[in-house]
Amino acid sequence: MSTGRFPTLYPLAAACALLFASAPTLADERADWPEEVLLGTASLGGTYQVYGDGLVTRLIDELGIDAVSQATGGPYHNMTLVHTGESELGLVTLGPARELWDGEAEFAPGEEMRDVRALFPMYQTPFHVVTLAGSGIESIADLSGKRVGVGPMGGTCAAYWPQFLEALGVEDVHLQYADANHLADYLTSRLSDAFAFCAGLPIRAFERLERRRDVHMFGLTEQEQSTLLDAFPVSAFEIPADTYASMDAPHASVSFWNFAIGHKDLPESFVYELMKLVLDHPDAMMEIHPAAIETRAEHLDKNGVIWFHPGAVRYYEEQGLEVPVEMLPPEMRPDEDADDEDASDTDD
């Protein structure tokens, strides 16, 4: 009888031994993970807030790590928070990120914020305008002399809409700064004439507006789009006609790509697991927000600004994707490139 039982017990005992032997290894991999992760998003009612809240929930549920999303002023603020180590993670558009990376931001001239690393691509941020139906505002040119909400101070929209309007010859605009939800309320209360914003589509504040009021949405003319493409580091974008119920045709626009960022000292194993959590599960990310349809590893080439984190590089390489040498962090480059970079860069 005993001879019949032991062959079964031996494999079972071996499997248990293997399991217990591997447990310390798994624990060791997480030993240097942060106890809590803070993720900088943006204003309430914008896509960053929705995307960030959903990502934090997944970090808690799937990786078992304490995570908190923080409403911020947007990309400029997030880049600063991550660079200084006040936040472990953040969301940025590459236009503002480039200014801060190169030390060209007006509020921090000469300060190159290079303790930041790129993680994964999120989606594109197009620029769009909504007004109340019957306002008489039908186009960008009609914004002259009007009260126009452009998002919170420090955000991408608030930084670039004034520049765009100036480049397009729109004068005497009375700019209003607040978060997306407040600016939507300003419009319905007729405290604003128009709400010019930028975020991943669909913009929740725009959807809320058209549920409450008859609205008119518009983008750019072909000439306006061409002018902005020549003057700014943006890409051409077409807002699909079915984005909102109030649209009956596509709208021309321009856009910036968005990327998640992290501090350069985050453990490689943590960033690698974060990359897998996001990029290996596209359906789960799209349940958070439809804009996540563009959250795909192959869009890593849209980042030509911020060096990638080693944990992100590891993930991309395992997917058969190549990170350009110039986008590798200095410690991962061939010796001669790393030495050159170290000699010229005092922040890393």
Side-chain angles (χ1 to χ4, degrees), residues 102-114:
D102 291 336
E104 297 176 353
E106 289 186 8
F107 66 89
E111 183 176 355
E112 297 180 346
M113 297 191 181
R114 299 199 172 184

Side-chain angles (χ1 to χ4, degrees), residues 19 23 29 57 66 102 117 134 141 194 269 282 297 311 345:
L19 177 61
E29 286 183 356
T57 298
D66 289 336
D102 291 336
R117 295 292 179 265
S269 62
D345 177 45

Side-chain angles (χ1 to χ4, degrees), residues 37-309:
V37 168
L38 185 63
L39 170 68
T41 59
S43 66
L44 300 177
T47 307
Y48 270 18
Q49 180 245 325
V50 178
Y51 193 105
D53 287 354
L55 178 56
V56 159
T57 298
R58 298 206 68 220
L59 281 167
I60 296 169
D61 293 345
E62 302 298 330
L63 294 189
I65 189 168
D66 289 336
V68 179
S69 62
Q70 178 183 13
T72 69
Y76 290 97
H77 195 186
N78 294 339
M79 189 82 168
T80 304
L81 289 172
V82 173
H83 171 72
T84 59
E86 294 180 57
S87 290
E88 287 74 24
L89 301 170
L91 311 178
V92 299
T93 42
L94 292 181
R98 182 183 296 278
E99 292 179 35
L100 292 165
W101 183 262
D102 291 336
E104 297 176 353
E106 289 186 8
F107 66 89
E111 183 176 355
E112 297 180 346
M113 297 191 181
R114 299 199 172 184
D115 284 350
V116 175
R117 295 292 179 265
L119 305 181
F120 55 86
M122 295 165 54
Y123 53 81
Q124 296 182 75
T125 286
F127 290 73
H128 209 200
V129 186
V130 61
T131 62
L132 295 181
S135 67
I137 301 173
E138 302 288 332
S139 66
I140 297 292
D142 293 334
L143 296 177
S144 291
K146 299 298 192 294
R147 300 165 300 174
V148 181
V150 291
M153 292 290 293
T156 304
C157 315
Y160 280 90
W161 264 119
Q163 296 182 63
F164 288 177
L165 294 172
E166 182 179 2
L168 297 174
V170 182
E171 301 177 343
D172 301 322
V173 177
H174 305 285
L175 300 172
Q176 298 173 315
Y177 300 96
D179 66 48
N181 283 342
H182 279 100
L183 289 174
D185 290 339
Y186 288 0
L187 196 62
T188 57
S189 301
R190 301 189 183 276
L191 297 174
S192 290
D193 299 305
F195 177 15
F197 202 54
C198 60
L201 301 175
I203 302 170
R204 295 294 169 86
F206 280 28
E207 290 182 318
R208 187 164 67 92
L209 266 171
E210 69 173 0
R211 286 196 298 267
R212 298 166 60 191
R213 295 286 192 277
D214 290 334
V215 298
H216 173 63
M217 299 183 187
F218 58 88
L220 308 169
T221 65
E222 289 186 8
Q223 182 56 55
E224 289 168 343
Q225 184 187 56
S226 178
T227 297
L228 297 185
L229 290 172
D230 289 342
F232 299 94
V234 292
S235 301
F237 190 92
E238 183 178 84
I239 298 173
D242 61 356
T243 303
Y244 304 101
S246 301
M247 290 178 58
D248 56 11
H251 293 168
S253 182
V254 293
S255 70
F256 284 116
W257 268 91
N258 298 274
F259 269 73
I261 58 171
H263 192 272
K264 70 181 184 68
D265 292 336
L266 280 173
E268 178 180 333
S269 62
F270 168 72
V271 171
Y272 175 76
E273 292 299 331
L274 172 59
M275 299 290 290
K276 290 177 60 179
L277 177 71
V278 172
L279 297 176
D280 284 359
H281 304 281
D283 291 344
M285 294 304 298
M286 286 185 63
E287 287 180 7
I288 295 172
H289 196 285
I293 191 172
E294 294 187 301
T295 302
R296 299 289 188 272
E298 58 264 29
H299 292 313
L300 75 93
D301 63 341
K302 303 304 189 295
N303 169 37
V305 178
I306 305 169
W307 301 324
F308 282 101
H309 191 283

